[in-house]
Amino acid sequence: MSTDTDETRQRLKAAVHYTVSRICQNNGESHRREFSRQVIAAIAETTFRQCDIFAKDLEAFARHAKRSTVSAEDVKLVARRSTALTNYIQNKSEELAQEQQLKKKSTGKRKSKDTEDDRE
Amino acid sequence: MAERDAEICFKKETVSKLLTSFFKEDKTKLSGDAALLMADVLKVFVQEASVRSQKQAESEDCDQVDIEHFEKILPQLLLDF
């Protein structure tokens, strides 16, 4: 592996580590339990490797449907193993679809509203 | 608290770069929707990991969540995802 891809990988790991530690700290605060630094590093590393598995699955699912672009449907397949997660992702995906429809409708209107606000 | 929970999430760019770097073929791409949904999946994964290790620490009456607590919940966590 070249040094360039190595560096991006390190950066990605750092980004994952940062978000993981924030989520853990947030959880720790609400339950008054601290996470040791090792745990946070271990969760980050696990998440990173889990991403590898997810990515390979997504790619395989997309190819199975003769697509080269991974879509929301493929993500739903990744989450198929637990019912709770499937429902959660299903809801999120519907929310996303609704938001996008709203955005399409309101972009024109919002612009005119913004200019009105400026005048006030 | 619930509001802050919602704020902490993986960035869409991070997720998309992360997944793209793992793809075997270069021409495979990730759609925007898929990246956002994967960010959610990863957030749930991390939250499950942290909450389950916390529960494990609680059941052992420990104040700090340590690596052995995470080790104990890891197999079931990986089976669930």
Side-chain angles (χ1 to χ4, degrees), chain B:
Chain B
M1 216 55 188
E3 278 170 32
R4 277 180 59 201
D5 273 350
E7 267 174 42
I8 304 173
C9 200
F10 288 94
K11 275 190 189 171
K12 187 183 162 192
E13 292 86 35
T14 314
V15 175
S16 126
K17 274 188 190 155
L18 196 58
L19 291 174
T20 318
S21 80
F22 283 126
F23 287 153
K24 273 185 211 152
E25 279 180 42
D26 293 335
K27 61 177 180 181
T28 314
K29 287 187 190 110
L30 194 74
S31 75
D33 286 7
L36 284 173
L37 284 179
M38 275 313 288
D40 269 320
V41 173
L42 288 178
K43 188 187 78 184
V44 172
F45 181 78
V46 176
Q47 268 178 343
E48 278 297 314
S50 84
V51 170
R52 287 183 196 195
S53 353
Q54 224 168 25
K55 283 262 160 68
Q56 186 63 37
E58 207 178 320
S59 73
E60 292 177 20
D61 262 347
C62 295
D63 284 339
Q64 201 187 34
V65 183
D66 243 322
I67 191 92
E68 53 254 40
H69 303 130
F70 176 61
E71 275 172 5
K72 278 179 195 158
I73 58 102
L74 184 58
Q76 189 59 47
L77 180 76
L78 293 183
L79 278 176
D80 289 339
F81 277 85

Side-chain angles (χ1 to χ4, degrees), chain A residues 1 21 28 31 36 43 46 48 53-54 62 75 78 84 88 91 106 109-110 118:
Chain A
M1 203 182 278
S21 71
H31 288 84
S36 75
I43 296 179
T46 313
F48 195 73
I53 299 172
F54 281 149
V75 180
V78 157
Y88 178 78
N91 285 343
S106 66
K109 284 179 196 166
R110 204 184 288 157
D118 285 343

Side-chain angles (χ1 to χ4, degrees), chain A residues 51-116:
Chain A
C51 267
D52 190 4
I53 299 172
F54 281 149
K56 301 244 157 78
D57 279 354
L58 286 171
E59 194 178 22
F61 292 150
R63 205 181 304 158
H64 185 71
K66 297 190 177 65
R67 276 186 272 110
S68 65
T69 308
V70 173
S71 75
E73 292 301 311
D74 301 324
V75 180
K76 284 181 200 164
L77 275 176
V78 157
R80 77 199 175 282
R81 238 172 296 187
S82 87
T83 339
L85 187 63
T86 314
N87 292 340
Y88 178 78
I89 291 302
Q90 181 72 38
N91 285 343
K92 280 278 169 189
S93 127
E94 277 164 18
E95 265 175 41
L96 268 180
Q98 274 184 346
E99 259 176 45
Q100 275 164 2
Q101 270 192 339
L102 278 178
K103 258 185 204 168
K104 265 181 203 166
K105 276 182 195 165
S106 66
T107 31
K109 284 179 196 166
R110 204 184 288 157
K111 267 181 193 165
S112 53
K113 246 188 193 172
D114 282 347
T115 46
E116 272 170 31

